[in-house]
Amino acid sequence: MNDMTSGNLRAYAPTKAAQIAAICFTVPGILLFGWMGIKILSQGMWWGAIFIVGSVFLAIWTIFIATIRVTLNDRQLIRTWAFGSCVIPVAEITKLTLSGGRTLFLVIRAREKRMMLSTQSFKKLALHEISNAILAARGLEGQPPLPPKANYIDVEEMTLRYLGRNGDQG
C-alpha cells in the first residue's frame, strides 16, 4: 500500500552538510580499513578480516546517510534508502520520543515497527516537523502532549483522551 497521493505530502532529505561530511570523513577510513585488512590477510593472519568487515559496515553506513529519505502523508510514513524501505501506517504509531544530547533522536514506535531518525542526517527542525506532522495526521494538532513534561508523546493516550477513539483512524 504505497499510495502517496492522499493528504499533504511532505518529504525530508538529509542536509547537504551531513552527506558531504559522511562521504569526506568515511571514504578515507573505508579505504584504509580495507587496505589494512587485505595486507594483514595476505600475511596469513585471519584477524585482518575484522578490518575488512569494519570497512564494509562503514561503507554501508555512508551509503545510508547519503541516500536516506523520509516521506510522510496523512496515511503513512516511509523511510527509504539505497537498499530498502520501511513503511509505517500513521494510524499504527503509538509513541514519539525526541531525546538526546548533541545528537537529537526521533524514535517513532508503531505496533510492530520502530523507526529512528537523528540529527546526524536531518536538521533538528525537520525532526520536530516530522513529529508535529504525525500528530496532525492523527488529528492531534495543537493538543497538549501526554504525559505532560515527558521526553516522549504517547499518541494512543492522546487519541483516546482528546478524540475519544482507540487509535484506529476511520
Side-chain angles (χ1 to χ4, degrees), residues 70-78 87-97 106-115 117 130-138 140 153-160 166-169:
V70 173
T71 309
L72 172 70
N73 70 8
D74 293 337
R75 295 171 58 200
Q76 57 194 3
L77 174 69
I78 301 174
V87 179
I88 297 179
V90 172
E92 292 182 9
I93 294 174
T94 59
K95 189 183 285 187
L96 300 171
T97 305
L106 173 62
V107 180
I108 302 161
R109 289 193 171 100
R111 293 185 183 120
E112 297 179 9
K113 294 183 181 178
R114 189 180 103 170
M115 182 184 298
L117 307 171
I130 292 168
S131 178
N132 291 336
I134 290 169
L135 292 175
R138 293 289 297 265
L140 299 168
I153 298 172
D154 191 333
V155 178
E156 285 186 326
E157 184 179 340
M158 287 180 67
T159 303
L160 281 170
N166 66 359
D168 295 328
Q169 288 184 335

Side-chain angles (χ1 to χ4, degrees), residues 35-94:
W35 177 77
M36 285 175 47
I38 290 170
K39 285 291 192 184
I40 293 169
L41 276 175
S42 69
Q43 294 177 1
M45 292 181 249
W46 64 269
W47 53 272
I50 295 171
F51 286 98
I52 293 173
V53 169
S55 177
V56 168
F57 281 127
L58 194 55
I60 291 170
W61 179 80
T62 304
I63 292 168
F64 179 79
I65 294 296
T67 62
I68 186 172
R69 303 286 182 267
V70 173
T71 309
L72 172 70
N73 70 8
D74 293 337
R75 295 171 58 200
Q76 57 194 3
L77 174 69
I78 301 174
R79 181 189 65 204
T80 58
W81 71 295
F83 299 118
S85 66
C86 177
V87 179
I88 297 179
V90 172
E92 292 182 9
I93 294 174
T94 59

